[in-house]
């Protein structure tokens, strides 16, 4: 095998993608006649076909290095296994589909800037799919068929799809990395990207952010934030009233559980580009959570901070939520009104384009922030960030 | 009373149930069980996070069986705060005698037994007042006027926020007192367990000769990191996703120190230690500690420079690169001809025993450190291949068709 060419390619890859250097150097190459091109296993070994090294131009070979290490950094074998278990998928056909989907996730931002795209590599647009999605999202959107025939030979190894190959050296073979070592490398690479995001493509920046803290669905987060904001107010033990079981235990002072339904005010900022559907689902969510906590319908109040009463109107009528309309696009007015009702918690649903109250309100506050790209006409207007005393959940 | 005993149908049912309960255990590498056992033996409160019904309670039963400890299960969410802080009992003259806080009977029995496994189930669904009362139980081991004996170990379980239908959030002070372990089920373990064989937990065997070294190593590992990264000492969870989980504070760092010492004395794998450390201080600080421990294991550049002939470089490429960079940095710090020569000898060794591309950058940097009056060592000849490799990579920038 032309090892010099293989290692020169790795050096070139490190020069083009310095933020992946640790991972590229941690990969252990193993010469193998069984793999068609280059393939990885989950223990960070890279099986290389000598013929493939001879046939590829050096810069393209460097691209393949980066491609293979991306499979490992992005934990495609673990995710492939989890997806297979969840959807009860078996057989080599499904694993080929996982390899194709994993390649789609990688290839849309791995090449370019010194690393030309190798011939025959998969790009989401070949499957008429948008780029920038995750492997799991691609998996739900295509099946094998004549349009995937070109990639029937695709083979990135068990590191890409989780299916153990006959040539894999296994966990006990030489130069394998343990789970802890793999985590440590992924962590170092992610820290490097987060610390110096300058030239790093957006896909890798997103990966670095989420590598150890995958984002949670906003519904769960909003629910948890609201629950903890209301906690202590709705239901708690008190010695103020004797417990019902006191009669059976004379001489022992027992607390009783007292339940007071929490009062929640929802301030809705309808001035921005928030869609009706998003608003509706967010408000329904809040109403459901408060009900689950023992709140009755009349304990959820919705304030709309704009004239767009029609958005929330029908919904609130259907749900029995009284709607107090009026006010400007300034959420401070909404906070003032809400605080007069002595709520246990305030939930503000907004896209953040508003001034915030200067002082901390007397109750806990949850801000559901609709994540919006800034409109160009607002470019000179910088909105204040939600204040530190609020629990901020990005919604949608 | 013994009507049931005379009922033949129920006798058969009892026999059948006994047969179903009759399971055996086998030794089996199970890192989450190993982590749990290690934390239990280190006398740190453990909190198991896991979806309902995946066998947290069953695992605890097996653990208690194999450690031969009586298991006391207390479901936190159905108890009142006074069950943990003690029930105030009004006596004849409270002004003279005071109001004693009577402990509940499970606590009395635990104290009488002198040892046991206290399992606090459904922790995250307990109301805030109950959680506040649990703080004292978990940290000070006090229930009312009773103090739990040192032989009692505390394990708790909670459902993650996503699956706890009406769960309260675990408050940061309570969360900080636990080692958090994510409990997932292993398909093979479940299938084999339902077949009648569960994995066996065994207390880690601590090597008496390594106790002193383990403590020294643990202290050095934690202190080296915290000296370099003061920001990691205390970080309240700010992010909504991380609330209720592990976070770094002097208290959880002390727990980490204990875990490292135990893991070192028991010669546990780094994978298990990784779970425990991340469970004590959180993912980010935990991984940084582990990365810094990996670097502690690397050979010291000065030792390598002093005797390059007997040097052994790490196998793993990225670690080898770190060592070589460290050697070059050491020469740069205190440059003289003999150290420079020794560094070249190390680079040649690296070239002969591993991938050549790792040597390129250190070699270029080292060459640039040369003073005019230094003789070029003969060893440099052997690095000619590296130069051509580097040039080949350079040519690729032109972009071949």
């Amino acid at each position: 095998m032309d090892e010099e060419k293989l290692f020169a390619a790795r050096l070139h890859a490190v020069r083009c993608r310095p933020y992946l250097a640790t991972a590229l150097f941690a990969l252990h190459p193993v010469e193998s006649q069984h793999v068609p091109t280059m393939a990885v296993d989950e223990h960070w070994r890279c099986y290389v076909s000598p013929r493939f090294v001879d046939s590829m131009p050096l810069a393209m070979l460097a691209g393949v290095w980066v491609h293979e290490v991306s499979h490992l950094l992005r934990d495609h074998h673990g995710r492939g296994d989890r997806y297979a278990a969840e959807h009860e998928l078996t057989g080599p056909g499904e694993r080929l589909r996982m390899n194709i989907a994993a390649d789609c996730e990688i290839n849309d931002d791995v090449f370019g800037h010194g690393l030309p795209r190798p011939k025959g590599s998969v790009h989401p647009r070949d499957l008429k799919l948008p780029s920038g999605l995750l492997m799991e999202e691609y998996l739900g959107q295509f099946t094998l068929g004549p349009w995937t025939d070109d990639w029937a030979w695709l083979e990135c190894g068990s590191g890409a799809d989780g299916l153990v190959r006959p040539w894999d050296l296994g966990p006990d073979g030489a130069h394998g990395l343990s789970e802890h070592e793999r985590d440590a490398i992924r962590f170092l690479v992610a820290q490097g990207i987060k610390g110096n995001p300058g030239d790093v493509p957006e896909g890798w920046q997103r990966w670095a952010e989420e590598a150890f803290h995958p984002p949670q669905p906003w519904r769960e987060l909003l629910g948890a934030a609201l629950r903890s904001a209301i906690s202590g107010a709705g239901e708690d033990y008190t010695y103020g009233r004797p417990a019902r079981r006191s009669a059976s235990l004379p001489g022992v002072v027992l607390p009783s559980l007292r339940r007071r339904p929490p009062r929640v005010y929802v301030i809705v900022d309808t001035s921005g580009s928030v869609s009706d559907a998003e608003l509706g689902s967010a408000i329904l969510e809040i109403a459901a959570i408060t009900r689950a906590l023992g709140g009755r319908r009349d304990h959820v109040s919705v304030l709309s901070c704009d004239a767009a009463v029609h958005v929330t109107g029908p919904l609130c009528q259907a749900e029995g939520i009284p709607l107090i309309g009026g006010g400007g696009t300034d959420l401070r007015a909404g906070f003032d009104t809400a605080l007069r009702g002595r709520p246990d918690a305030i939930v503000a649903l907004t896209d953040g384009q508003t001034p915030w109250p200067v002082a901390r309100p007397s109750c806990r506050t949850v801000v559901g922030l609709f994540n919006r790209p800034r409109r160009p006409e607002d470019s000179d207007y910088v909105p204040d960030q939600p204040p530190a005393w609020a629990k901020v959940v990005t919604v949608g | 009373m013994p009507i049931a005993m005379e009922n033949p149908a129920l006798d058969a049912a009892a026999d059948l149930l006994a047969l179903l309960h009759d399971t055996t255990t086998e030794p089996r590498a199970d890192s989450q069980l190993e982590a749990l056992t290690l934390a239990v033996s280190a006398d740190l409160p453990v909190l198991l996070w896991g979806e309902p019904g995946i066998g947290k309670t069953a695992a605890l039963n097996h653990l208690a069986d194999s450690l031969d400890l009586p298991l006391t299960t207390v479901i936190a969410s159905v108890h009142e705060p006074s069950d943990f802080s003690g029930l105030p009992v009004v006596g004849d003259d409270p002004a003279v005698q005071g109001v004693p806080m009577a402990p509940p009977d499970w606590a009395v029995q635990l104290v009488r037994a002198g040892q046991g496994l206290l399992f606090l189930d459904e922790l995250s669904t307990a109301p805030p007042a109950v959680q506040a009362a649990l703080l004292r139980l978990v940290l000070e081991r006090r229930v009312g006027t009773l103090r739990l004996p040192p032989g009692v170990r505390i394990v708790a379980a909670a459902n993650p926020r996503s699956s706890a239908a009406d769960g309260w959030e675990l408050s940061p002070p309570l969360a900080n007192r636990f080692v958090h372990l994510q409990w997932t089920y292993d398909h093979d373990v479940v299938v084999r367990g339902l077949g009648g064989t569960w994995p066996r937990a065994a207390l880690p065997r601590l090597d008496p000769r390594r106790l002193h070294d383990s403590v020294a190593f643990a202290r050095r590992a934690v202190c080296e990191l915290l000296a370099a990264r003061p920001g990691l000492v205390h970080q309240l969870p700010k992010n909504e996703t991380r609330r209720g989980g592990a976070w770094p504070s002097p208290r959880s760092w002390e727990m980490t120190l204990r875990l490292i010492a135990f893991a070192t004395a028991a010669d546990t794998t780094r994978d298990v230690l990784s779970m425990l450390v991340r469970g004590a201080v959180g993912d980010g600080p935990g991984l940084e500690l582990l990365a810094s421990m990996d670097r502690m294991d690397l050979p010291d550049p000065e030792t390598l420079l002093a005797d390059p002939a007997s040097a052994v470089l790490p196998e793993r490429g990225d670690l080898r690169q770190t060592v070589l960079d460290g050697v070059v940095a050491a020469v740069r710090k205190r440059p003289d001809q003999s150290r420079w020569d020794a560094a070249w000898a190390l680079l040649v060794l690296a070239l002969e025993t591993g991938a050549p591309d790792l040597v390129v950058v250190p070699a270029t940097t080292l060459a640039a450190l040369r003073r005019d009056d230094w003789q070029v060592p003969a060893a440099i000849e052997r690095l000619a291949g590296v130069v051509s490799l580097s040039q080949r990579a350079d040519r690729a920038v032109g972009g071949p068709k």
Side-chain angles (χ1 to χ4, degrees), chain A residues 79 84 94 152-153 159 176 193 197 221 241-242 263 279-280 353 355 374 381 386:
Chain A
R79 287 161 59 193
E94 284 301 328
W153 54 269
I193 293 176
L221 279 181
R241 273 192 296 178
R263 258 196 303 269
L279 260 187
Q353 311 265 9
R374 191 80 64 77
Y381 169 65

Side-chain angles (χ1 to χ4, degrees), chain A residues 48-72:
Chain A
V48 189
S49 146
R51 257 173 306 153
F52 179 68
V53 173
D54 289 338
S55 69
M56 287 297 263
L58 196 141
M60 266 187 206
L61 202 57
V64 180
W65 270 107
V66 174
H67 172 97
E68 297 299 337
V69 88
S70 303
H71 278 307
L72 297 174

Side-chain angles (χ1 to χ4, degrees), chain B residues 175-221:
Chain B
N176 197 234
R177 283 163 164 87
F178 282 105
V179 177
H180 300 248
L181 289 181
Q182 302 299 328
W183 204 258
T184 49
Y185 70 85
D186 182 340
H187 182 76
D188 295 340
V189 170
V190 171
V191 172
R192 193 138 172 76
L194 292 174
T197 314
W198 292 97
R200 182 188 311 151
L203 275 181
R205 197 162 299 148
L206 303 174
D207 183 350
R209 284 162 301 164
R210 295 183 62 178
L211 299 186
H212 279 284
D213 290 350
S214 310
V215 174
F217 175 77
R219 286 191 202 280
R220 194 158 70 91

Side-chain angles (χ1 to χ4, degrees), chain B residues 178-335:
Chain B
F178 282 105
V179 177
H180 300 248
L181 289 181
Q182 302 299 328
W183 204 258
T184 49
Y185 70 85
D186 182 340
H187 182 76
D188 295 340
V189 170
V190 171
V191 172
R192 193 138 172 76
L194 292 174
T197 314
W198 292 97
R200 182 188 311 151
L203 275 181
R205 197 162 299 148
L206 303 174
D207 183 350
R209 284 162 301 164
R210 295 183 62 178
L211 299 186
H212 279 284
D213 290 350
S214 310
V215 174
F217 175 77
R219 286 191 202 280
R220 194 158 70 91
V222 171
C223 295
E224 253 178 35
L225 175 75
L226 294 185
R229 296 286 318 274
L232 288 182
V233 174
H234 190 267
Q235 278 177 353
L236 259 169
K238 289 186 214 79
N239 193 320
E240 221 21 71
T241 41
R242 293 180 218 175
R243 268 177 216 275
W247 54 279
S249 76
R251 177 180 21 230
S252 51
W253 281 115
E254 205 191 328
M255 300 190 335
T256 309
L257 207 151
R258 202 192 288 189
L259 289 168
I260 299 174
F262 266 81
T264 314
D267 204 18
T268 322
T269 60
R270 276 283 160 90
D271 282 340
V272 171
L273 180 62
S274 162
M275 266 190 203
L276 289 165
V277 167
R278 289 159 71 174
V281 288
D283 272 344
L287 285 162
E288 267 194 65
L289 174 71
L290 291 160
S292 131
M293 282 169 64
D294 281 349
R295 281 195 295 276
M296 276 170 62
D297 294 344
L298 294 182
D300 178 38
E302 292 299 335
T303 321
L304 293 176
L305 283 174
D307 186 9
S310 60
V312 179
L313 297 171
E315 289 280 343
R316 230 172 86 191
D318 57 323
L319 296 181
R320 179 172 281 222
Q321 170 97 18
T322 313
V323 169
L324 295 180
D325 284 347
V327 165
V328 174
V331 174
R332 185 205 299 272
K333 220 181 200 171
R334 206 152 49 80

Side-chain angles (χ1 to χ4, degrees), chain A residues 10 15 180 183 227 236 251 253, chain B residues 88 90 129 167 271 278 357 394:
Chain A
R10 180 159 80 171
R15 285 179 181 168
H180 145 69
D183 273 356
R227 263 186 217 121
D236 214 340
V253 184
Chain B
V90 184
D271 282 340
R278 289 159 71 174
D357 54 339
D394 284 340

Side-chain angles (χ1 to χ4, degrees), chain B residues 12-206:
Chain B
D15 289 348
L16 185 56
L17 284 174
L19 276 178
L20 281 168
H21 279 298
D22 188 21
T23 55
T24 55
T25 57
E26 60 177 354
R28 183 192 167 99
D30 182 343
S31 37
Q32 60 183 11
L33 195 59
E34 209 178 316
L36 171 64
T37 331
L38 190 81
V40 164
S41 78
D43 196 14
L44 291 172
V46 186
L47 176 52
L48 306 179
W49 287 97
E51 303 290 331
I54 59 164
K56 299 190 287 287
T57 316
L60 255 289
N61 279 321
H62 290 299
L63 182 69
D65 274 355
S66 38
L67 302 185
D68 210 11
L69 288 174
L71 177 74
T72 306
T73 304
V74 177
I75 298 185
S77 57
V78 300
H79 279 263
E80 293 173 353
S82 48
D83 290 347
F84 301 110
S85 59
L87 291 154
V89 180
V90 184
D92 295 336
D93 189 355
V96 178
Q97 295 168 348
V99 177
M101 303 295 263
D105 96 300
W106 59 261
V108 176
Q109 283 178 13
L110 258 181
V111 171
R112 202 171 292 154
Q115 57 170 3
L117 202 58
L118 173 59
F119 180 39
L120 303 168
D121 207 354
E122 304 277 348
L123 191 70
S124 56
T125 37
V130 176
Q131 286 192 17
L134 279 172
L135 278 182
R136 203 152 159 262
L137 169 60
V138 171
L139 190 72
E140 295 173 36
R141 316 170 66 102
R142 280 187 172 282
V143 186
T145 47
L146 273 187
R147 194 188 180 86
L148 296 180
V152 173
R153 303 290 198 256
I154 299 174
V155 181
N159 299 331
R161 292 184 348 173
S162 51
S163 59
D166 52 352
W168 305 90
E169 184 172 74
L170 205 62
S171 66
L174 188 55
N176 197 234
R177 283 163 164 87
F178 282 105
V179 177
H180 300 248
L181 289 181
Q182 302 299 328
W183 204 258
T184 49
Y185 70 85
D186 182 340
H187 182 76
D188 295 340
V189 170
V190 171
V191 172
R192 193 138 172 76
L194 292 174
T197 314
W198 292 97
R200 182 188 311 151
L203 275 181
R205 197 162 299 148
L206 303 174

Side-chain angles (χ1 to χ4, degrees), chain A residues 106-255:
Chain A
I106 293 174
N107 287 352
D108 52 6
D109 60 0
V110 77
F111 299 119
H113 300 283
L115 299 179
R117 186 178 161 202
K119 294 180 289 281
S121 62
V122 189
H123 193 281
R125 71 171 162 260
D126 301 328
L127 292 165
K128 305 206 168 39
L129 293 172
S131 50
L133 300 185
L134 296 177
M135 167 186 174
E136 290 83 356
E137 295 170 304
Y138 286 122
L139 274 173
Q141 297 192 18
F142 73 95
T143 50
L144 293 182
W147 48 89
T148 58
D149 278 355
D150 289 351
W151 305 304
W153 54 269
L154 203 73
E155 177 63 276
C156 290
S158 58
D161 54 22
L163 184 73
V164 175
R165 303 296 201 280
W167 59 77
D168 279 355
L169 295 177
D172 301 327
H175 303 295
L177 299 193
S178 72
E179 194 182 343
H180 145 69
E181 291 173 313
R182 301 188 307 242
D183 273 356
I185 292 170
R186 285 167 59 220
F187 178 74
L188 285 177
V189 173
Q191 285 297 92
I193 293 176
K194 274 200 258 186
N196 191 9
D199 297 330
V200 184
E202 222 172 90
W204 278 111
Q205 290 188 34
R206 198 180 54 211
W207 169 80
E209 285 298 325
E210 297 172 1
F212 287 94
H213 293 287
Q216 274 190 22
W218 64 265
R219 277 163 205 280
E220 287 168 17
L221 279 181
L222 189 66
L226 190 58
R227 263 186 217 121
S228 74
I230 300 170
S231 75
E235 183 182 50
D236 214 340
Y237 288 92
T238 168
Y239 286 95
R241 273 192 296 178
R244 272 180 292 181
R245 66 181 204 203
S246 292
S248 58
L249 289 166
V252 178
V253 184
L254 290 170

